[in-house]
Amino acid sequence: MFMSISTTGSAENPATDLGFLLHKHPGKLQRFTTSHGEAHVFYPEAGDEVCTAALLLDIDPIALVRKGRGDGRGRGGSPDFALAQYVNDRPYAASSLLAVALRTVFRSAMKGACPARPELPGQARPLRIELPAVPVNGIPASAVPANGVPASAVGEGGGPALVARLFEPLGWQVEATAIPLDESFPEWGESRYVRIALSSGTVRLAEALQQLYVLLPVLDGAKHYWVAPDEVDKLLAAGQGWLAAHPERALITRRYLSRRWSLTRAAMERLELARLAEADDREVEEIDNAVDDRPEEELQGPQQEQEPRQPSLAEQRRTAILTALRETGAAKVADLGCGQGELLGALLKDPRFTGILGVDVSVRALRVASRKLGLERLSERQAARVSLVQGALTYTDARLKGFDAAVLCEVIEHLDLPRLPALEYAVFGAARPRTVVVTTPNAEYNVRWESLPAGTVRHSDHRFEWSRAEFRAWAEKVAAAYGYTVELRPVGPEDEEVGAPTQLALFTTAPTTTPEGGEPR
């Protein structure tokens, strides 16, 4: 099992700095003992212009069988696979065994620690990583259980295409070539092994090693050891700074965790919390009202004669939401994605709302909301009306049940579209309040803002913005699926051609009727 890492440099910035970063001297051959064999580190080439470090892992199959649980796929105890435990591809193909060796041999480098040259770990440098043989497995549809598995898990492809899906979004130039089963018999086709070379513009070595640590077992789709709950923490630690934003984070998570669905759900929830918390670490008005909708005269400063200030679009949204809630007679209201508490403050001012819950993924936003609402200064009776909790709206949460109404104010557009069905089920299916109010931008209105470049969304964290027809189609589909009726309303100044800047959907549960002569339920 072999891997090489190369970098280039110059006399002023020698490539041999790689030795400092890896904590391995280029002039020495070093050996390390791991739980499944011996790892050797050496330098085939070490000069100012080019430096290459190689990791050779010599697997002891007997030690591996004694130490582990078979091949990581639940077969270790079966006599049918007794010989396979000793005669297999583990000594040659870079799998989770190499990932564990990386963590053992290059632990300090993965942490970005270099006491001798503390300035080096923070420097990005050109890297080339070569892996002569990597098992890259797809998952056939027949191997996926029928219940409780995301549809995207079925029929996952393998081969060079999977390598590109995983590494290219991270900025790597990928050379991936499938290895034939036998070069003498090309008609036999390709094996499951791929020869991989990764080249970067510039990247920090610690980041590259962390990515390899995660993605090597992902390519194989299995690990050589039992996947315990602490693997979730390892995944999130190694994926910090890149995994939450990766377009294939769901695929990476379930394959890294060997498709243990309970652990995958837990990891995905924490990744979603990390991604949304980063997005929510801004003022709520910056997200909810990213395009300034005030009149041009007001933006230019005070004038001699001023008209009364027009309410901002954010204020008009809150007014529209409160109007809808009052119409339905809601008393207990959950503000899902409450941000820094602007709507919560408006709800507190109206005594008809006797129970108020604010939910947000960002702890910082909740702290700001608590401060703005003055919760510590409220009377005991007022404080009992409101509570703030952290949570991700794409997962069912028992704390959301029992409310008359739920509000999703400028929330859905911050979710990736594949995650939207999870939110729909968590809110409309599991929590199931009598009323749900949803607001979202009207993409058609964007042309009316001269400050907004054509074809762009109102905020960098918006994953999508819908036209009126698209929002109507979504709202009607959700209403039909979960037994609601829906009414769409414009919010803000309405333009004859493109509509209003915000669109609101008011969902109410459709009453069911008992047999003839009975009362509605």
Side-chain angles (χ1 to χ4, degrees), residues 252-325:
I252 292 169
T253 302
R254 62 176 170 264
R255 289 176 68 106
Y256 179 89
L257 297 170
S258 298
R259 293 176 293 284
R260 290 194 61 189
W261 304 110
S262 61
L263 298 184
T264 299
R265 284 193 295 269
M268 285 300 297
E269 180 173 1
R270 290 171 63 181
L271 282 172
E272 190 75 1
L273 286 169
R275 187 186 70 80
L276 292 178
E278 181 180 354
D280 285 349
D281 202 26
R282 290 182 286 269
E283 292 299 321
V284 69
E285 292 299 325
E286 181 190 344
I287 292 179
D288 285 358
N289 197 24
V291 178
D292 201 323
D293 64 300
R294 289 177 294 165
E296 183 178 352
E297 298 78 20
E298 185 176 338
L299 293 173
Q300 292 174 349
Q303 307 294 318
Q304 289 184 350
E305 294 184 7
Q306 285 188 329
E307 296 292 332
R309 186 183 74 85
Q310 296 297 316
S312 70
L313 182 55
E315 292 170 328
Q316 294 178 67
R317 270 195 299 267
R318 289 193 286 273
T319 298
I321 292 169
L322 292 170
T323 298
L325 293 174

Side-chain angles (χ1 to χ4, degrees), residues 110-111 205-215 237-239 242:
M110 290 178 70
K111 292 180 179 179
L205 178 65
E207 292 178 5
L209 293 175
Q210 297 280 16
Q211 291 164 8
L212 285 171
Y213 174 77
V214 171
L215 296 181
W242 62 271

Side-chain angles (χ1 to χ4, degrees), residues 35-37 59-71 85 88 90 97 224:
S35 60
H36 45 267
I59 299 296
D60 181 349
I62 296 176
L64 183 62
V65 172
R66 289 175 176 172
K67 186 81 174 177
R69 294 173 176 263
D71 69 350
Q85 296 181 18
N88 50 55
R90 293 185 203 134
L97 293 166
H224 69 280

Side-chain angles (χ1 to χ4, degrees), residues 4-8 18 45 50-53 126-130:
S4 66
I5 304 174
S6 302
T7 188
T8 57
L18 181 64
E45 184 176 16
V50 180
C51 184
T52 299
L127 293 179
R128 181 175 174 85
I129 297 171
E130 297 189 39

Side-chain angles (χ1 to χ4, degrees), residues 27 32 63 66-67 82 91 95 122 124 140 277 295 323 359 397 424 444 517:
F32 304 86
R66 289 175 176 172
K67 186 81 174 177
S95 61
T323 298
V359 182
D397 190 335
E424 294 165 10
E444 297 170 76

